[in-house]
Amino acid sequence: MGKEKIIEILNKVRVEELTAIMQYLQHHYLAKGINSPTVAGLFKEQSITEMKHAYALAERITALGGVPTTKIDKINVPEKLEDMIRVNYEVEKTAIEDFKGYIKEVSEDITTTRMLEDILADEEDHADELRKLLEK
Ligand SMILES: [Fe+2]
Ligand SMILES: [Fe+2]
């Protein structure tokens, strides 16, 4: 796989990360209800992790000679705290599936593969933290 294709994949991932940053932060700002201090704190923490991911992706993109995208997708901001957790859990599950596909696609580039594997481990932690909050 050529550099151009890898850059394209990394920018696709970066769009997901930038979108997640904004969604988590907005949920952090707007969370309300009895459990909101704890959950809003988790949203902030997760948002910061997504920033680190977006940063690592940008560094790899420029190392390969590309330009990091600043594009973001539409964010989803439900009213209720539980729905916020639910939509974020869905985002993380989708990210995990996407990462697994991308890791296979870029497998010839070891550095990129390692970076995506590290990010995938964080997304699995995120999904796990959110899933636990949804358990009754
Ligand atoms: Fe991420
Ligand atoms: Fe995440």
Side-chain angles (χ1 to χ4, degrees):
M1 176 180 289
K3 277 185 184 178
E4 288 307 312
K5 185 70 192 151
I6 293 173
I7 291 165
E8 194 187 308
I9 289 171
L10 294 178
N11 266 327
K12 268 198 254 178
V13 180
R14 203 172 125 87
V15 172
E16 287 187 40
E17 298 289 357
L18 294 175
T19 307
I21 292 167
M22 295 313 295
Q23 181 162 310
Y24 275 128
L25 274 184
Q26 196 68 358
H27 290 186
H28 167 75
Y29 300 137
L30 298 178
K32 48 182 185 254
I34 190 121
N35 295 317
S36 63
T38 316
V39 179
L42 179 70
F43 290 159
K44 183 180 168 189
E45 241 176 65
Q46 293 185 323
S47 171
I48 291 168
T49 308
E50 310 304 8
M51 285 178 212
K52 290 177 183 164
H53 297 164
Y55 185 87
L57 289 159
E59 293 252 282
R60 187 67 192 144
I61 289 164
T62 54
L64 293 169
V67 177
T69 186
T70 55
K71 188 177 160 273
I72 75 163
D73 281 334
K74 209 176 165 296
I75 63 166
N76 191 351
V77 186
E79 190 119 343
K80 287 188 183 145
L81 191 61
E82 193 173 331
D83 294 332
M84 287 177 171
I85 299 168
R86 212 177 296 285
V87 295
N88 291 331
Y89 180 52
E90 290 307 318
V91 165
E92 295 291 350
K93 280 202 298 184
T94 305
I96 289 166
E97 286 318 303
D98 290 348
F99 272 106
K100 287 177 181 167
Y102 294 144
I103 286 166
K104 277 188 199 140
E105 282 188 67
V106 303
S107 62
E108 285 164 35
D109 178 337
I110 295 166
T111 306
T112 300
T113 302
R114 283 199 188 136
M115 183 191 64
L116 292 180
E117 283 171 349
D118 286 345
I119 298 177
L120 170 63
D122 286 342
E123 310 305 6
E124 284 179 347
D125 285 344
H126 286 172
D128 207 43
E129 286 166 338
L130 296 166
R131 185 186 47 74
K132 282 180 191 153
L133 291 177
L134 291 169
E135 275 173 14
K136 294 268 152 63

